[in-house]
Amino acid sequence: MDYDSIIKEQMEELDLAELEQIMEDAAQQSNGIFSAVSTDEIVQSFIDGKPLFDSEVLIQNLLDVFLYEVKAGLILGVEIISLCIVIGLLKNFSSSFGDKPVSTLGTVVCSCLVITLCLKNFMVTYESCLATLEIMTKTMQILLPILIPLIISMGGFSSGGILNPVILGAITAFNTALQKFILPLVFLSSIFILINSLTEKDYVSRLAVFLRKAAVFFTGLAVTIFAGLTAIQGLVTKTADGLLVNTARYSVDNFVPIVGGFAADSIDMVLSCVAVIKNGIGVLGIIIILCLLTAPVLKILAIAVIYKLTAILAAPIATKQIADCLNEMGSAVITMAVVLGLCALMFLIFLTIIISIGGGTLWK
């Protein structure tokens, strides 16, 4: 029996329908950047030594989607700049005609409209981050019950027994921290920035910046701790499992008369096939995470560019508070992208660690 037959039989026993459905949905959400692939296609690409995606086409798709999001965000920029022009006109009328109370009231009203536009846009970005986080977490929760049994079937009893609760616990804790603590901190800092734009004095802008930096710091710290612990556990258990598999292979090869060598070679073949399938599923998980991450991050970065450019254009025509507010909102939106990217990075590290376990070295 050859490798293709063994892989095909083992693939038929796995239930990957839900995972591949998520892959199709993620490919659609990526706005054409990635195309949907199946585990069979990934495994076949491993065997044939062919790439899954064309790098030139991928880069072009990324550029096209980013430019499209920038064009879509121009509407927000035009609306804000229009209000800033009105604010500038009111300031000039106040200095020319001396009707300061009316001008001040008009400026406040226009500033409130700018705040409303920014808040509405930021809410969309915030909800998009939460939705992306939920889908990435769900993907990991579906992947682990598939990957861990494959690791155990390859002789990775220590790895499967230890990594499963460690990674599941890390995912649950990290997801909870992001939803209940880190992302709300970024949202709260944005509210403070918007409120501070209504006053001439600097009341809470420094607090807003502090909260935003704290959110990034705690996210990075959580990724470092969870990924570090998982990597250490993976290295330790990989060594123990390698010793166990090598001992079993040596025993079969030397203590089973006549057919021991053939049996040991058969063990190598089966383990190699399982490793290919496990790695294929792990790569599918990585592609899903990248599909889910790319489109929201490009959209967020496009919005951040609009905020930054709008702040530059608003500086000479609007109040300093409005210009600073728009600039800080751009930084807050970038912070959302950083937090989401760090979350995806941790999930990718988990998948990479799982793929590296039993990746063809345990039984040699």
Side-chain angles (χ1 to χ4, degrees):
M1 184 176 291
D2 58 2
Y3 283 96
D4 291 336
S5 301
I6 296 176
I7 291 175
K8 185 176 180 181
E9 290 181 2
Q10 293 176 340
M11 289 287 292
E12 290 176 351
E13 297 178 0
L14 295 174
D15 184 12
L16 303 176
E18 188 176 5
L19 187 62
E20 293 185 349
Q21 181 60 47
I22 294 179
M23 175 71 250
E24 293 180 2
D25 296 339
Q28 293 177 358
Q29 293 179 18
S30 69
N31 296 330
I33 298 175
F34 294 92
S35 57
V37 294
S38 64
T39 309
D40 292 332
E41 293 174 346
I42 295 174
V43 171
Q44 192 62 43
S45 70
F46 287 167
I47 297 174
D48 298 337
K50 296 180 180 179
L52 280 172
F53 302 102
D54 188 339
S55 58
E56 294 182 0
V57 174
L58 189 61
I59 294 173
Q60 185 62 44
N61 291 340
L62 287 170
L63 183 60
D64 291 342
V65 172
F66 178 73
L67 292 177
Y68 173 80
E69 294 295 344
V70 170
K71 291 179 182 178
L74 284 176
I75 298 175
L76 174 66
V78 170
E79 292 174 342
I80 293 176
I81 289 297
S82 300
L83 291 171
C84 291
I85 292 175
V86 174
I87 293 174
L89 291 174
L90 290 173
K91 288 170 58 181
N92 289 332
F93 289 157
S94 174
S95 60
S96 299
F97 299 102
D99 196 1
K100 190 172 182 179
V102 175
S103 175
T104 302
L105 178 61
T107 301
V108 171
V109 171
C110 292
S111 299
C112 289
L113 291 176
V114 172
I115 290 173
T116 302
L117 290 174
C118 293
L119 183 60
K120 181 179 178 181
N121 179 264
F122 192 80
M123 281 294 298
V124 173
T125 305
Y126 182 78
E127 291 173 357
S128 175
C129 286
L130 287 178
T132 303
L133 174 63
E134 280 292 332
I135 300 176
M136 286 195 295
T137 303
K138 181 181 178 182
T139 302
M140 292 297 298
Q141 291 172 344
I142 294 173
L143 277 170
L144 286 180
I146 300 174
L147 292 174
I148 296 300
L150 289 175
I151 291 177
I152 294 175
S153 68
M154 296 168 57
F157 300 103
S158 299
S159 300
I162 293 178
L163 288 181
N164 190 33
V166 169
I167 294 180
L168 276 177
I171 291 173
T172 303
F174 193 63
N175 184 36
T176 302
L178 279 177
Q179 290 187 345
K180 304 297 183 182
F181 178 67
I182 294 174
L183 287 179
L185 272 184
V186 180
F187 185 79
L188 185 62
S189 69
S190 302
I191 297 297
F192 286 160
I193 291 170
L194 294 174
I195 293 174
N196 195 76
S197 66
L198 292 174
T199 63
E200 295 183 356
K201 295 183 179 180
D202 188 6
Y203 289 107
V204 290
S205 62
R206 291 184 180 179
L207 176 60
V209 173
F210 172 77
L211 292 177
R212 192 169 65 234
K213 291 183 178 179
V216 175
F217 171 77
F218 284 119
T219 305
L221 181 63
V223 170
T224 303
I225 292 175
F226 290 143
L229 289 176
T230 306
I232 293 172
Q233 294 286 357
L235 289 174
V236 174
T237 56
K238 181 178 180 179
T239 304
D241 291 333
L243 178 63
L244 177 63
V245 173
N246 287 329
T247 301
R249 187 189 185 286
Y250 177 82
S251 300
V252 172
D253 192 6
N254 291 275
F255 295 106
V256 177
I258 302 176
V259 297
F262 296 104
D265 292 338
S266 299
I267 291 175
D268 280 347
M269 177 180 287
V270 173
L271 291 178
S272 298
C273 293
V274 175
V276 170
I277 295 173
K278 174 183 67 68
N279 294 347
I281 296 173
V283 170
L284 179 63
I286 290 176
I287 295 173
I288 292 174
I289 297 297
L290 292 177
C291 287
L292 294 172
L293 175 70
T294 305
V297 167
L298 288 178
K299 184 179 182 66
I300 291 171
L301 292 179
I303 293 173
V305 169
I306 295 299
Y307 274 126
K308 293 291 185 179
L309 291 177
T310 305
I312 295 173
L313 295 175
I317 58 177
T319 62
K320 181 179 181 299
Q321 290 75 21
I322 292 295
D324 291 342
C325 169
L326 293 173
N327 183 63
E328 290 298 327
M329 285 299 296
S331 300
V333 171
I334 292 175
T335 301
M336 296 285 285
V338 171
V339 171
L340 190 61
L342 288 173
C343 173
L345 175 63
M346 189 183 75
F347 292 159
L348 293 176
I349 290 173
F350 287 163
L351 289 174
T352 304
I353 292 171
I354 292 176
I355 290 173
S356 67
I357 295 175
T361 60
L362 293 180
W363 50 86
K364 290 183 179 179

